[in-house]
Amino acid sequence: MEIENLFSTNPGTSGEITGKQPVADQLQPAMLETPFKKIALALSGGGFRAAAYSLGTMSYLHHLPYPNSEKHEATVLDNVEFIASASGGSFAAILYSMQVQLKLPFEQTYKELLEFLNGQVLLEGVLGRINDPGEWKNDGSKNLINAFASIYDEKLFKRKTFGIYRDPEVAGGRRLEVCFNATEFHRGISFRFQASNVAADKAKIGNKYVYFDAFDEKAMETAGKIKLADILAASSCFPAGFEPIMFPDDFAYKGIGDQGELTTAELRKALTVTDYNNQPRQDAVDIGLMDGGINDNQGLYSTLLADRRRRQKKPSDGFDLIFISDVASYFMDAYKAPKQSDQGDIRQSSVNGLLERPLKSFLPKKIRGITGWAWLGLLLTLAIVITYFCSNHVTVRNCAIGAGSVTGSLTIILILLKMFLFNKPLKNFLPEFFRLGNESLVPMLKGQIQGLQNFTDEAIGKLVSYIRNAPIGKLEQMGQTRLNSMLSLVMDINLKQTRRLIFDAFYGEFYGADVWQNRRVFNVIYELSEKNTVNRKAVLETKFYKTYGFGQQTDENVWARDCIEVLTSNCEALNLIAEKARTMGTTLWTDQKDLDEHRIMDVVCAGQFTTCAKLLEYCMVVERILDNGVKNPNHPIQIAFDEKELEIFQGLRTKIQLDWDEFKNDPYFLYKESLKSKQN
């Protein structure tokens, strides 16, 4: 499992996809001989929506029994040998793989993650931890992402560390490799927390430029002390929502009970950071880590690299099935440019104009006439004084003393405010920064904002002058435009484009169009949604009529027609639930509205029945090839089941068909079964 630069020896490349792979390095197609045996699971990012969908996917794979002479109660999920994840998918990936290593049943994973996703951790609780000094590590930053990591450590992982994957005895002989993706801010590429419980597999944690050396036992021992909670935090801290989690400070911790400590010095020594000559740096370098979805939101590219490593060692050792669970989509709301508003006198003023205005101009109109209020106070005070001297009644005189004290004090305060405060310009009460001229302000800005280093003083000065003199309404519109477009670029456009590039490699010509034929299932959350019904039918018609039906898109092609009918008819209830699942927000918490609307339940159910539908579609194609020996130059036959494997395939195919019929009848049937199992 060594990480290597697969495509170039140039220092400027990262080992990521850069174009079509040279023909000499192309992987060759391999025969599929053991269906559903060696499975790679790639779980996408997408907050709690991704975590819940991944849980639904895994629960359906666990629902499918897999005949095994050594372990009769085995399931298809037990055949997962590799798990890659990013962001929200890492919740399910890390918790499940950790509990596999601990020989705990999947039912426990299901129970604990479902409870966690259904509001065990609310945003308010996380924010409360930020102000609790007892929660913070020695050197860790007191911020939002570390508060979340503290919750994960306590509620999900019980202080377990990455070293749990290094013990081949723990998992009871089951082979398991993991790859939890983050993105590092040193070279801007994926940082992979990789491990294998097979001793012969050497996993370099990180990437080519920033890594724990797989052949340095001390470095790997230190990496093994990193908390799973901090790895999850690094994998899931999405831009704009969180700040980067910093290595090494945020990964260090004090000893608690029998648990040892992990110091920043240990971490810094164990991590190799290279310079632009690819030589290890000697100076201390802090590395910021953020969401793994920035570079590979499906964990798919990590999975392709793992399959390639396996095939290079032994061609027949590649994955039998690469199963992608994805909550991203090609849907995107149209960008709408914010309109400039001129409502209110403040929006019509410039920054300089506002700074020169007297403070009283910002007060409500009713109290701006402070002089009038002061005169009224003086008159009331005078009236009270006259009352005091003209009355011989003790009670009246006492009331006059009290009222006179109050009105007199207020009058004095009003006069002082008018004399020394309300008539002064606003800039007098703001920090000196707002009163600086361009000659002083420009150097200060360049010193504080790293992104301005490459601008000349003259350019920054002109921009500052424009900002100071532009109407506030215009500046407001400019700010909204830049914020909205930046968020759309980071959270939508960039992720979709990266997704397209990786899927082009998976389905296109980068490795060869037929390398993973009959070994792929793309399980996406929008598959059965109401918004995708027309497109889904068109895709199925292309697949079953054109690709595997000899191009005969007529009623005479009974096989294609029947397959499409089975997969699309009577799905209205499923479409409704899938639409609710698809449109759930991308957050790392559930609010009360989510709980009231049972959104997590709908996403888990969507994961279950969509997994069933995609596996049924997959089985139909495999069955077609087996029964008819389909000849297609773009899809050469790559299946060769012996009698035993054919029996296993047919049994699973029948089970999946029965489950699909049951899902149409009751979309929540498996969720209900799992709920009963969870309660027991």
Side-chain angles (χ1 to χ4, degrees):
M1 264 178 55
E2 291 181 53
I3 296 179
E4 56 183 328
N5 185 3
L6 300 176
F7 314 117
S8 174
T9 57
N10 294 331
T13 62
S14 63
E16 305 299 320
I17 295 175
T18 56
K20 184 175 179 179
Q21 193 183 24
V23 175
D25 295 329
Q26 289 277 14
L27 292 178
Q28 298 303 311
M31 281 291 176
L32 176 61
E33 298 176 344
T34 52
F36 302 104
K37 186 66 179 294
K38 295 173 293 185
I39 299 176
L41 197 57
L43 305 178
S44 84
F48 272 20
R49 183 178 74 250
Y53 193 72
S54 298
L55 184 62
T57 294
M58 292 193 299
S59 67
Y60 184 72
L61 296 178
H62 178 71
H63 172 74
L64 291 175
Y66 187 87
N68 188 315
S69 58
E70 298 177 358
K71 186 180 179 183
H72 296 288
E73 69 275 15
T75 71
V76 170
L77 185 63
D78 294 325
N79 290 340
V80 171
E81 294 186 354
F82 179 86
I83 302 177
S85 64
S87 197
S90 292
F91 283 87
I94 299 178
L95 184 63
Y96 170 66
S97 59
M98 178 195 83
Q99 296 191 337
V100 166
Q101 289 294 102
L102 295 175
K103 300 181 185 177
L104 298 174
F106 174 75
E107 287 76 12
Q108 182 163 335
T109 302
Y110 186 87
K111 173 186 176 183
E112 291 181 7
L113 187 53
L114 192 61
E115 289 177 351
F116 185 86
L117 296 175
N118 269 309
Q120 186 177 358
V121 177
L122 298 177
L123 183 58
E124 290 81 1
V126 173
L127 295 175
R129 292 205 172 198
I130 293 180
N131 296 318
D132 183 355
E135 290 292 336
W136 299 99
K137 313 165 189 176
N138 275 335
D139 303 310
S141 303
K142 189 176 181 181
N143 57 25
L144 194 61
I145 190 59
N146 281 321
F148 271 87
S150 174
I151 291 282
Y152 303 154
D153 192 37
E154 175 186 331
K155 302 296 184 181
L156 282 178
F157 304 120
K158 311 299 188 292
R159 307 192 186 282
K160 294 293 188 297
T161 65
F162 197 52
I164 197 170
Y165 298 107
R166 298 191 69 201
D167 188 350
E169 301 298 325
V170 180
R174 174 180 172 181
R175 181 179 183 179
L176 184 64
E177 302 173 52
V178 297
C179 180
F180 312 128
N181 287 277
T183 301
E184 50 90 349
F185 283 18
H186 178 65
R187 293 294 181 88
I189 58 179
S190 292
F191 187 99
R192 300 181 176 102
F193 289 93
Q194 297 185 114
S196 172
N197 62 13
V198 177
D201 290 334
K202 295 292 185 180
K204 183 193 289 182
I205 301 168
N207 56 48
K208 180 183 177 183
Y209 307 106
V210 183
Y211 58 88
F212 293 86
D213 191 342
F215 295 94
D216 183 338
E217 187 58 33
K218 185 62 177 177
M220 296 306 291
E221 182 181 331
T222 300
K225 295 180 182 179
I226 295 175
K227 287 186 176 181
L228 295 178
D230 290 332
I231 293 174
L232 174 58
S235 180
S236 61
C237 58
F238 55 86
F242 294 97
E243 53 283 299
I245 184 169
M246 298 303 299
F247 185 96
D249 289 355
D250 292 342
F251 289 81
Y253 55 84
K254 297 177 181 179
I256 300 177
D258 296 332
Q259 185 185 46
E261 67 175 8
L262 181 59
T263 67
T264 57
E266 285 181 89
L267 287 164
R268 201 180 293 280
K269 184 177 180 180
L271 187 73
T272 298
V273 181
T274 63
D275 59 23
Y276 280 92
N277 293 321
N278 289 340
Q279 298 301 313
R281 297 180 59 157
Q282 301 303 316
D283 56 324
V285 179
D286 293 340
I287 303 294
L289 295 174
M290 289 201 79
D291 197 311
I294 297 171
N295 277 307
D296 182 7
N297 196 43
Q298 286 64 43
L300 177 55
Y301 190 63
S302 301
T303 307
L304 304 190
L305 290 177
D307 184 74
R308 188 176 192 275
R309 289 192 296 268
R310 282 175 166 235
R311 292 200 192 194
Q312 285 177 330
K313 290 180 180 179
K314 185 180 179 182
S316 62
D317 198 30
F319 299 122
D320 293 330
L321 183 63
I322 295 178
F323 195 97
I324 308 152
S325 179
D326 186 9
V327 301
S329 74
Y330 57 84
F331 299 117
M332 179 175 169
D333 294 331
Y335 175 78
K336 296 180 179 179
K339 302 295 184 182
Q340 180 178 341
S341 173
D342 294 324
Q343 293 183 353
D345 61 337
I346 290 180
R347 285 193 174 96
Q348 297 174 31
S349 301
S350 67
V351 173
N352 281 342
L354 290 179
L355 292 177
E356 297 298 333
R357 282 171 57 172
L359 193 61
K360 70 178 181 180
S361 67
F362 297 96
L363 300 175
K365 291 182 178 180
K366 291 183 179 180
I367 62 174
R368 286 183 188 175
I370 193 170
T371 303
W373 288 103
W375 278 111
L376 178 60
L378 285 172
L379 291 174
L380 286 173
T381 303
L382 180 62
I384 292 170
V385 170
I386 293 173
T387 301
Y388 175 82
F389 285 107
C390 293
S391 175
N392 293 321
H393 198 284
V394 176
T395 302
V396 173
R397 290 169 67 90
N398 288 338
C399 290
I401 291 173
S405 299
V406 173
T407 56
S409 298
L410 290 174
T411 300
I412 292 171
I413 291 172
L414 288 172
I415 292 172
L416 291 174
L417 287 174
K418 177 170 178 60
M419 292 175 60
F420 300 106
L421 184 63
F422 284 169
N423 286 336
K424 302 288 184 180
L426 175 64
K427 67 180 182 181
N428 288 9
F429 304 96
L430 295 176
E432 184 182 358
F433 173 84
F434 291 94
R435 301 193 294 274
L436 292 175
N438 282 9
E439 66 281 354
S440 300
L441 182 59
V442 170
M444 179 183 292
L445 290 173
K446 291 186 73 172
Q448 296 294 323
I449 303 175
Q450 187 174 358
L452 296 179
Q453 297 297 323
N454 295 327
F455 289 80
T456 65
D457 290 3
E458 181 183 5
I460 298 175
K462 289 181 178 180
L463 288 172
V464 170
S465 296
Y466 173 78
I467 291 172
R468 280 178 156 174
N469 292 288
I472 297 298
K474 180 61 179 176
L475 297 180
E476 178 186 38
Q477 187 260 348
M478 288 171 60
Q480 290 177 344
T481 300
R482 280 151 181 77
L483 179 61
N484 292 348
S485 59
M486 181 192 71
L487 289 175
S488 179
L489 176 66
V490 173
M491 305 301 292
D492 229 341
I493 296 173
N494 179 67
L495 293 182
K496 292 185 189 318
Q497 178 62 8
T498 303
R499 182 174 183 261
R500 291 186 192 101
L501 291 173
I502 294 173
F503 275 91
D504 281 347
F506 192 40
Y507 286 96
E509 296 183 354
F510 184 78
Y511 283 106
D514 58 351
V515 168
W516 285 291
Q517 186 63 30
N518 309 315
R519 294 169 182 263
R520 301 172 296 198
V521 172
F522 179 33
N523 182 49
V524 69
I525 195 170
Y526 63 77
E527 179 73 24
L528 286 157
S529 67
E530 291 177 326
K531 193 168 184 177
N532 194 51
T533 52
V534 174
N535 179 69
R536 178 172 182 249
K537 188 170 184 180
V539 169
L540 291 174
E541 287 175 348
T542 298
K543 172 179 283 190
F544 288 105
Y545 280 116
K546 182 178 179 181
T547 306
Y548 295 102
F550 308 107
Q552 300 176 12
Q553 192 162 343
T554 66
D555 289 339
E556 296 178 2
N557 193 334
V558 177
W559 172 79
R561 184 195 62 200
D562 290 349
C563 286
I564 296 170
E565 176 70 16
V566 168
L567 290 168
T568 59
S569 65
N570 302 319
C571 292
E572 291 77 14
L574 303 177
N575 298 149
L576 180 62
I577 295 170
E579 185 66 19
K580 290 174 64 179
R582 180 188 73 82
T583 55
M584 179 181 174
T586 304
T587 63
L588 291 180
W589 55 83
T590 47
D591 57 25
Q592 193 57 49
K593 182 179 180 181
D594 291 328
L595 297 175
D596 292 343
E597 295 179 355
H598 307 290
R599 297 297 289 271
I600 294 296
M601 177 183 71
D602 286 332
V603 177
V604 172
C605 288
Q608 292 170 338
F609 61 66
T610 308
T611 301
C612 178
K614 296 304 293 184
L615 286 177
L616 181 58
E617 180 184 329
Y618 168 79
C619 287
M620 287 173 171
V621 171
V622 172
E623 190 175 50
R624 172 71 166 176
I625 295 172
L626 290 172
D627 291 346
N628 298 280
V630 173
K631 304 292 184 183
N632 189 315
N634 295 321
H635 300 276
I637 298 173
Q638 298 177 16
I639 303 176
F641 297 161
D642 61 20
E643 185 175 341
K644 177 184 175 182
E645 297 301 334
L646 180 60
E647 183 180 352
I648 291 174
F649 170 77
Q650 290 174 337
L652 283 169
R653 196 289 189 211
T654 300
K655 171 64 175 170
I656 293 168
Q657 176 70 66
L658 291 173
D659 287 340
W660 180 236
D661 293 338
E662 185 63 26
F663 276 124
K664 289 182 179 182
N665 181 56
D666 180 5
Y668 297 104
F669 93 88
L670 183 55
Y671 185 88
K672 295 173 185 175
E673 287 184 8
S674 301
L675 202 60
K676 292 177 182 178
S677 176
K678 179 172 80 75
Q679 293 170 345
N680 294 333

